[in-house]
Amino acid sequence: MGRNVVKAIEDDPGTELVAAVDVAQVGADAGELAGGRSNGVLIGDNLSEALKASQAEVLVDFTLAQSCYPNAKVAIEAGVSPVIGTTGMSA
């Protein structure tokens, strides 16, 4: 799902991909991994560091249900607005 998020961001002239995090793909170019052109955004494995270094305004989270709350908390603490698209959560 993350690859589709990268494609959507890359295809929207009003948005810019400034960071990407995936513990299984560290060091890969996010654009190339999503099946597009190289965009120079290398995937990291530390969300907090990525948000701070990139000065992101929004976090789009399409991770696992057990990860989205901790990720949202990290984003809010960094002053970043989280948008959660994760499925599989229950009340």
Side-chain angles (χ1 to χ4, degrees):
M1 188 59 91
R3 293 174 188 189
N4 290 329
V5 172
V6 170
K7 287 179 190 176
I9 292 169
E10 293 284 310
D11 290 344
D12 183 344
T15 61
E16 177 185 4
L17 185 70
V18 297
V21 175
D22 183 332
V23 296
Q25 299 292 336
V26 175
D29 182 282
E32 290 177 352
L33 189 62
R37 61 177 173 73
S38 174
N39 59 15
V41 177
L42 300 181
I43 298 173
D45 63 354
N46 185 298
L47 179 59
S48 181
E49 289 177 8
L51 294 175
K52 289 175 187 169
S54 67
Q55 298 180 333
E57 296 176 6
V58 175
L59 163 73
V60 179
D61 188 318
F62 270 86
T63 58
L64 302 172
Q66 64 267 27
S67 300
C68 70
Y69 176 77
N71 290 347
K73 187 174 176 182
V74 167
I76 291 167
E77 289 171 354
V80 176
S81 299
V83 175
I84 309 297
T86 301
T87 61
M89 296 181 283
S90 59

